[in-house]
Amino acid sequence: MSPIANERLLRGRWVTVHTEQNAVFCEGSLQFADEFVERASEYLGVAPRPVDYYLYRSTPYSCLSPARAGAGSPPLGGDCALRYQRVVMASNWLQQHELAHVVAQAWGEDAPAILEEGLATMLGSSASGVGETIDRSARIEDNLDSNTFIAWPVAERLVLYRSTASFLRFVEARFGHDALRRWYSTVDNLMPPRETMDRFARATGASLSSALEEWRSEPAARTESASLRLVECSHATGVLSLDRASWDAPFSCRGFNVGASPSRRSETVEVERDGWYALDVASGTAVDVTIDACDAATPRWTLHTLGIAVGSRSILWLQRGRHQLDFVQRVASSDRLRWSLVPSSLSAARCDSNEREEIRTSLGSALFVAAPERWPITNPSDPTRRAVTLRIGPTGSAHYRTLFVRRASASASLRVCTTACDEPQCVELREGGSVLLRPNVHGEVWVELDARADAGIVQIAFE
C-alpha cells in the first residue's frame, strides 16, 4: 500500500487518520471514531485496538475485494477494510461500516462474506438506504457461499447487507449474544453452505430455516433498525438531557458517518416522557435539520431554515427515548447556530387567543408532526376524528405561506381549514397536497387540521 504523499496525521485514542495536508476534516468527529471503536469492541466483548484510517481525497488508490473469492479478486475504487490488517482505506469520513469490519476481526477473519457484511452493518450505521423498509424476503440462506454473494450487483448486495444485519439482531435477541458469537466465530468462508447452516443449529439449538421464518414474520421496520447505532443512540456518551438541549455559538462540528465535516453538528437528546415539544432553529446561513428517533420506528423529519433573528419553530410529538438531531450548513460559514428543544403544549380549544405556542417560518420551513390520535381537539359528532388548531406567524401581511402534506397514511384524508377562526375555507388533502395560506391583518395564519384518529403519523411542512 503506497503511503499518502506528505501526509497529515491526526491521532485519536484508537484511530489514527492519514490524510492529505489540505483535506477538510472535522476534528471533532475523531472523538466519535474513538468512541465507536470502544463501543463496538465492548459490544463484541473484546479489547479495543488501534486502527489506521487512510483518508484519500485526491491520491489514487485501490483496495482488494473484502470477500475471499481468491487471490485474483479485482481491485475496487470504493471504501474497504483490509483483511488481516487493522486498516481502513476510504475516500469518505467517517465510514462506520469499514471501522466495524476492523473491530469485528476479533470475532473471526474468515466468516462468509454475507455474515461479515451483515455484522458490520449491524455495528455501524450508514446513510445508505435510510428510510427504506427492511426486505425480509431477501434470500440470506441462498447467499452463504461468498462467491454467490459477491456476484450480485452492488444494489442487490446492499439490500442483503441490511437484511442480514436485521436478521443478526434478531438472532441475538432470540437466542442470546453468546449464541450469535458462537455461530459467527465457528463458520468459515470456504465452508459449504450446508455446514454453515449446521453450525447455526449447534450454536442456537434451532434450524436456520425456522429462525429465518420467525424473523420474516416480524412487523415491518425501517432499515435504521438494523444498526445498533452504538454511539449515536445505544451507548451514547454525549447524550444531552432535555434541560441542556440547546446551543448558541458559531457552528462547531460534531459530525459522524459519511460526510462529517466542519459544517455539520450532530446531537443526541434524551426525551424523558411522551409529549409535545417545540424545536427552534436559527442561523444566518441556510441549515438543513434532520430529527430521527433512535428506536427507528418513526420516519425521519427534515426542515430547512435561514434567519438568525426569527428562524423557525416546529411543533412535534416526541416519544420517550433518545432522538438524534443533525444540523448541516449548506455552505460552510462562521454564522452562529441557535437551537433548542423544549416542552410545549397545544390548546384543546379552537383558535384559543391565549395559545402559547406558534409555528414560525423564516426563509425556510417548519414542521408539525404528530399522529391525529394525539391532536387535542375532540369532535363531538364523530369520535373517530381529532383536530388541532395551529397559529403560524406572525409573518408580515405581505407574506404568504404554503402548507404541504409531506406524509400521511395512503388511505388517510386530511381536512385543512384556512382562516379557521373566521369563516373556514376547507379542502381535503392527501400526501403531496398543498394549500396557499394568506396571513390576516396581524400577519398570522390560523389553520385547523382534522383527520381520523387512526390515520398514523402525519407530517405537515409550512414554507
Side-chain angles (χ1 to χ4, degrees):
M1 178 176 60
S2 301
I4 298 174
N6 192 27
E7 70 179 3
R8 171 187 173 197
L9 286 179
L10 299 105
R11 299 185 185 276
R13 295 188 303 277
W14 303 105
V15 178
T16 298
V17 179
H18 305 250
T19 190
E20 290 131 338
Q21 289 289 337
N22 61 350
V24 177
F25 186 79
C26 172
E27 295 195 26
S29 62
L30 189 54
Q31 178 183 356
F32 181 93
D34 286 331
E35 290 175 1
F36 177 78
V37 170
E38 291 168 353
R39 299 289 79 75
S41 300
E42 178 184 43
Y43 173 82
L44 295 177
V46 300
R49 294 182 291 169
V51 180
D52 286 293
Y53 196 114
Y54 286 82
L55 178 61
Y56 293 79
R57 297 297 190 183
S58 58
T59 304
Y61 79 100
S62 64
C63 53
L64 296 178
S65 170
R68 263 167 301 287
S73 299
L76 300 175
D79 307 317
C80 64
L82 299 188
R83 282 188 178 278
Y84 313 114
Q85 298 181 56
R86 302 189 64 75
V87 171
V88 171
M89 300 178 67
S91 58
N92 285 296
W93 173 265
L94 167 66
Q95 289 281 15
Q96 291 186 38
H97 181 92
E98 303 307 336
L99 271 181
H101 273 305
V102 175
V103 178
Q105 288 176 8
W107 266 22
E109 298 176 325
D110 293 302
I114 191 172
L115 298 186
E116 287 192 331
E117 298 300 346
L119 183 61
T121 303
M122 174 180 165
L123 293 173
S125 64
S126 168
S128 175
V130 165
E132 297 177 7
T133 301
I134 294 290
D135 183 1
R136 297 191 191 277
S137 67
R139 299 293 296 175
I140 296 170
E141 61 269 52
D142 295 339
N143 287 277
L144 297 175
D145 175 82
S146 294
N147 288 323
T148 301
F149 174 72
I150 292 299
W152 285 101
V154 171
E156 283 82 350
R157 279 210 309 270
L158 288 175
V159 171
L160 284 165
Y161 281 25
R162 297 188 289 268
S163 298
T164 305
S166 175
F167 177 64
L168 294 182
R169 289 204 69 177
F170 165 82
V171 170
E172 182 194 36
R174 177 70 173 78
F175 303 104
H177 186 81
D178 290 342
L180 176 61
R181 180 173 185 169
R182 281 195 301 273
W183 183 39
Y184 189 95
S185 300
T186 58
V187 292
D188 187 274
N189 165 51
L190 300 178
M191 280 182 179
R194 174 51 58 186
E195 179 65 19
T196 300
M197 295 180 186
D198 290 344
R199 297 288 176 95
F200 179 89
R202 292 181 211 172
T204 65
S207 69
L208 180 62
S209 60
S210 66
L212 284 166
E213 182 179 359
E214 190 174 347
W215 167 70
R216 286 171 177 144
S217 67
E218 291 198 332
R222 291 162 56 213
T223 53
E224 293 92 308
S225 68
S227 170
L228 293 166
R229 293 197 273 185
L230 290 168
V231 181
E232 304 96 317
C233 294
S234 302
H235 296 82
T237 58
V239 174
L240 299 174
S241 59
L242 199 60
D243 60 355
R244 294 188 298 114
S246 63
W247 172 261
D248 185 357
F251 218 101
S252 173
C253 96
R254 273 169 54 95
F256 54 85
N257 217 326
V258 178
S261 72
S263 61
R264 178 173 182 172
R265 184 175 183 86
S266 303
E267 303 284 3
T268 302
V269 177
E270 186 82 45
V271 173
E272 296 181 353
R273 58 182 60 86
D274 295 357
W276 294 104
Y277 292 86
L279 174 65
D280 287 280
V281 183
S283 178
T285 187
V287 175
D288 296 335
V289 186
T290 301
I291 310 104
D292 183 23
C294 284
D295 66 6
T298 55
R300 292 187 174 195
W301 311 317
T302 302
L303 62 97
H304 316 281
T305 187
L306 171 61
I308 194 67
V310 178
S312 70
R313 166 166 287 190
S314 297
I315 303 296
L316 316 169
W317 177 274
L318 299 180
Q319 292 182 318
R320 179 178 180 272
R322 289 175 177 173
H323 297 261
Q324 289 178 253
L325 284 80
D326 204 16
F327 306 89
V328 181
Q329 287 180 316
R330 295 191 184 182
V331 178
S333 79
S334 59
D335 284 298
R336 299 176 75 86
L337 169 68
R338 291 192 294 110
W339 72 269
S340 65
L341 182 69
V342 297
S344 180
S345 63
L346 291 175
S347 175
R350 295 183 65 250
C351 305
D352 184 355
S353 59
N354 295 316
E355 180 80 23
R356 290 193 300 149
E357 299 291 2
E358 66 181 14
I359 290 177
R360 293 196 305 267
T361 63
S362 183
L363 299 176
S365 60
L367 300 180
F368 173 76
V369 181
E373 64 178 327
R374 305 295 184 186
W375 296 0
I377 302 174
T378 58
N379 187 330
S381 62
D382 187 351
T384 67
R385 301 186 72 85
R386 304 282 292 185
V388 61
T389 302
L390 303 173
R391 181 162 58 101
I392 301 95
T395 62
S397 58
H399 293 82
Y400 290 82
R401 289 293 179 264
T402 304
L403 176 152
F404 293 94
V405 182
R406 282 197 185 163
R407 185 180 183 276
S409 64
S411 60
S413 176
L414 174 68
R415 194 172 72 128
V416 179
C417 299
T418 59
T419 62
C421 303
D422 302 313
E423 297 180 6
Q425 300 173 8
C426 302
V427 293
E428 295 279 338
L429 291 178
R430 296 184 184 275
E431 183 174 9
S434 65
V435 61
L436 188 66
L437 307 176
R438 182 172 182 172
N440 60 23
V441 294
H442 304 293
E444 301 173 331
V445 178
W446 286 88
V447 173
E448 185 167 288
L449 309 177
D450 178 276
R452 285 184 57 89
D454 59 358
I457 295 175
V458 173
Q459 182 181 149
I460 305 294
F462 298 93
E463 301 182 353

